[in-house]
Amino acid sequence: MNQCKNLFDSFMSHSSNLLLNDVLQRISSRKGKMMRPLLTILVAKLLGEINERTYSAALAFEFLHTASLVHDDIVDESCERRGNPSVNQLFGDKVAVLVGDYLLSHVLLNAAKTESTRLIEIVARVSERLADGELLQLRNIYNQTISEDVYFNIIQGKTAELFAAAAEGGALTVNASEEDLERLRLFGETVGICFQIKDDIFDYIAGDEIGKPTGNDMAEGKLTLPVIHALFSKNQEDMFQLAYKVKDGSISADEIATLVRFTLENQGIDYAEKIMRDYANKAKSMLSCYPESNVKSALLDYVDYVINRNY
C-alpha cells in the first residue's frame, strides 16, 4: 500500500500547469482510506503474487473513485468533502469538471498499463454503472416512490459495483480462475453494499470525524435505509409527508431534524446495522473455501473495518 500511495501521489503532480497542480495537491492531501486499491491488492495476494499489473489496476480503481467524488460534488452542489471545502466550492464547477475528466484520463492510462483487454472492459463497465447509479439516484429524487428495493438498486450502482470491480480486477492481475474471479467479484460487491449502508448510517450521527453534517443526505433529496425502515415500520402519515418534502426539495432544516429524530427513535439505525451485518457475514462466508493465511485474515479484518469504522 505504501508503494501504491507513492504512485498515486506521483500522478497527482503536474508542475507545468499551476492551477491543475493546485487542485490535484488539495485532492491528494486529503485522500481517503484507499479502500478500493487495498481490496485489489489483498485479493491479488490471496490468489498469487502482487505484480506491476496489480499496482496499475489498483490505481485505476482509485483514480476512478476520486474522479467520481469530484463529479458527484458538482451534481450534488456539495460545498464539503470529508470536512473540507469541495473542489467545486474552492475552484468553481468548470474547473471541477475538467479536473474530474483529467483524473479519468489516469484511469485509462493505468488500465492500459495492465495490457489486459479484460481489465479495461472491467473499468469501462464499472464506469458505465457508476454513471447509471448516479442517474438513477437523481431520477429517484423526483420520484415519489419510497422503497428499500430502489435504495438497494441505487447503492448497487453508485458504490457496490466499484468494490466488485476492484476485487475482480485484483484477481485478474494474478491470472485467477473464472470461478475465483466471479467469487471475489461477488465478495467485493457485498462488501461495497456494507460500505454504503455504513456511510448512510453516519448521516444520522453528529460528529466532526465523519465530515458531513447530520441530515445532509435528506437536504440533497435522498432517503436512505434507516429512515425508509422507520417510515414503513410506523406508517405515520405526517412523517411520510416530510419524506415527500425531502424528495421534492422543499423540506426545511427543522423538518429534517424532526425526520432524523423520528428515525433514531424508531430503530432505523438498528435495522440498517442488522442488514449491514448480514451482508458482512455473507461476504465472509465467500472466503471459507480458501485456506487459512495472513492474507485471508486481513480480508476478514477488512470486512470488519468496513462495518465498524467511525468515519
Side-chain angles (χ1 to χ4, degrees):
M1 278 305 295
N2 284 336
Q3 173 75 354
C4 192
K5 288 175 183 176
N6 290 337
L7 288 168
F8 180 85
D9 289 340
S10 70
F11 277 113
M12 296 293 273
S13 297
H14 196 283
S15 57
S16 63
N17 185 322
L18 295 180
L19 175 58
L20 178 59
N21 193 60
D22 189 12
V23 181
L24 293 177
Q25 288 302 305
R26 286 178 182 272
I27 294 172
S28 181
S29 68
R30 57 177 187 254
K31 59 178 172 284
K33 299 171 282 294
M34 300 190 82
M35 297 295 288
R36 294 144 195 89
L38 177 56
L39 181 58
T40 299
I41 288 170
L42 284 173
V43 167
K45 185 64 175 174
L46 178 73
L47 303 175
E49 290 299 325
I50 295 168
N51 53 66
E52 292 304 314
R53 295 170 67 210
T54 308
Y55 287 124
S56 295
L59 288 168
F61 295 121
E62 183 63 9
F63 277 116
L64 181 53
H65 172 60
T66 306
S68 73
L69 296 182
V70 174
H71 283 161
D72 288 352
D73 285 342
I74 302 167
V75 172
D76 295 337
E77 299 179 346
S78 178
C79 297
E80 287 188 9
R81 168 63 58 182
R82 298 181 184 128
N84 295 293
S86 60
V87 173
N88 51 299
Q89 174 69 12
L90 286 172
F91 299 96
D93 287 351
K94 292 179 181 179
V95 170
V97 168
L98 292 170
V99 170
D101 291 346
Y102 179 83
L103 292 169
L104 287 173
S105 73
H106 282 315
V107 177
L108 299 174
L109 286 169
N110 280 283
K113 284 183 179 181
T114 67
E115 298 183 345
S116 167
T117 302
R118 185 163 177 180
L119 192 128
I120 293 170
E121 289 174 352
I122 290 171
V123 169
R125 182 187 70 211
V126 73
S127 300
E128 176 186 52
R129 291 179 179 174
L130 282 174
D132 184 68
E134 288 296 333
L135 285 167
L136 178 61
Q137 181 166 269
L138 279 177
R139 178 172 175 265
N140 187 55
I141 288 173
Y142 303 105
N143 180 352
Q144 292 298 296
T145 302
I146 300 171
S147 77
E148 283 191 22
D149 287 344
V150 171
Y151 168 79
F152 280 104
N153 284 339
I154 290 170
I155 69 171
Q156 175 74 28
K158 66 174 283 188
T159 302
E161 289 286 356
L162 186 49
F163 277 85
E168 183 182 7
L172 189 64
T173 65
V174 292
N175 302 315
S177 68
E178 289 297 326
E179 184 179 4
D180 281 329
L181 284 168
E182 178 60 14
R183 181 182 295 112
L184 273 304
R185 185 192 70 78
L186 288 171
F187 171 79
E189 177 183 290
T190 308
V191 173
I193 291 171
C194 294
F195 189 92
Q196 188 59 54
I197 293 174
K198 185 68 173 183
D199 261 12
D200 292 340
I201 289 171
F202 285 145
D203 200 49
Y204 299 85
I205 303 168
D208 295 334
E209 287 185 327
I210 296 168
K212 66 175 182 177
T214 304
N216 192 54
D217 285 340
M218 292 183 191
E220 294 175 355
K222 303 169 189 173
L223 296 173
T224 53
L225 188 59
V227 68
I228 292 171
H229 172 75
L231 286 168
F232 283 101
S233 67
K234 293 300 177 183
N235 204 28
Q236 290 182 208
E237 181 60 27
D238 58 335
M239 292 298 109
F240 267 103
Q241 290 306 313
L242 290 184
Y244 293 133
K245 292 183 76 172
V246 167
K247 294 180 76 63
D248 66 23
S250 64
I251 195 164
S252 68
D254 287 344
E255 289 170 328
I256 288 175
T258 297
L259 200 49
V260 168
R261 186 165 57 251
F262 168 78
T263 302
L264 294 172
E265 290 173 353
N266 290 285
Q267 291 73 55
I269 301 301
D270 292 343
Y271 175 80
E273 288 186 341
K274 177 188 179 303
I275 298 298
M276 177 184 65
R277 293 186 185 282
D278 287 345
Y279 273 102
N281 290 333
K282 180 180 177 182
K284 289 180 178 182
S285 70
M286 295 176 189
L287 301 178
S288 61
C289 61
Y290 297 108
E292 298 302 316
S293 68
N294 288 338
V295 180
K296 178 179 175 179
S297 295
L299 276 167
L300 294 172
D301 288 344
Y302 180 100
V303 178
D304 286 337
Y305 174 76
V306 165
I307 64 174
N308 293 320
R309 62 198 167 98
N310 56 15
Y311 69 98

